[in-house]
Amino acid sequence: MDDAISTLRQWIEESENIVFFGGAGVSTESGIPDFRSTDGLYSQKYAYPPETILSHTFFMKQPEEFYRFYRDKMVALDAQPNAAHRRLAEWERQGKLKAVITQNIDGLHQRAGSEKVLELHGSTLRNYCMNCKKPSGIEAVTASEGVPRCNCGGIIRPDVVLYEEGLDSSVIQESVKYISKADVLIVGGTSLVVYPAAGLVDYYGGSKLVLINKGATHLDSRAALHINGKIGEVLSAV
Ligand code: NAD
């Protein structure tokens, strides 16, 4: 592990075109559970699996139940950015890192100071009325009970990509652009099983693919550097 961290440190020092691609594991050290760790949401017992509750069909049919789970498990306003979020923001300020591409919906990269953040799955912090399209902040969800409603009577929904819904094509295109031009691509805190997001890493054509994860992924054998550890701890040590 020490050798891998030294190599990563050298690559970071030398590069001015680093791109980071991450997922829920980036925020577990901030206290937000991921889906697939042993203490993640898949191991907790609900009437339905998270991916059913967080689907378009479920939202349309049972918005009350959706919002009960969503407020309880997906909205984490007290969570603070951790060492991984802060380190990535620092590299951007130093002109080394060009973009953070995230599957997360918690807004913690921006809170840490990152500016170029491509949110593949949207953000819990943005919401809008399904009827009149009026945008609202997170308070529309946190300060209400049951299904939040707009003044016009429409249902307010989160600006997040639910299962069965398509990703924003401009965010995908921009992500492809950054990944395909990257010198160093760091992939961290993601099981790489949620598509199409996970497929974006295939656009990387360089020789410095770094994988930092607590568990195994299908990319392990392709990575030039594979660090099995907690991403906040690893990035602080670089
Ligand atoms: P996932 O739960 O499928 O996988 C998380 C991966 O990160 C696992 O392989 C786990 O071993 C690893 N991990 C956990 N903690 C880690 C740490 N401290 N350091 C390094 N690795 C760590 O998450 P995913 O791949 O992002 O896919 C799940 C989907 O659910 C995504 O779409 C994501 O947006 C969404 N989600 C988001 C949040 C959030 O916004 N914080 C939380 C839960 C789920």
Side-chain angles (χ1 to χ4, degrees), residues 4-5 10-12 14 18 39 55 57 69 96 101 119 131 143 158 170 177 189 191-192 198 200:
I5 287 185
Q10 192 187 336
W11 288 358
I12 303 289
E14 289 167 358
I18 304 160
D39 52 354
S55 69
T57 306
F69 175 87
K96 300 188 145 301
I101 300 165
E119 293 175 315
N131 180 41
S170 62
K177 188 188 83 184
S191 59
L192 292 169
L200 289 172

Side-chain angles (χ1 to χ4, degrees), residues 92-128:
E92 184 185 8
R93 279 195 298 276
Q94 293 169 349
K96 300 188 145 301
L97 182 136
K98 296 302 172 211
V100 166
I101 300 165
T102 183
Q103 299 165 84
N104 292 349
I105 55 176
D106 55 32
L108 288 182
H109 285 293
Q110 292 91 331
R111 293 238 329 259
S114 285
E115 289 186 6
K116 191 69 202 174
V117 182
L118 295 168
E119 293 175 315
L120 293 166
H121 295 156
S123 172
T124 56
L125 305 182
R126 294 188 301 270
N127 298 272
Y128 64 92

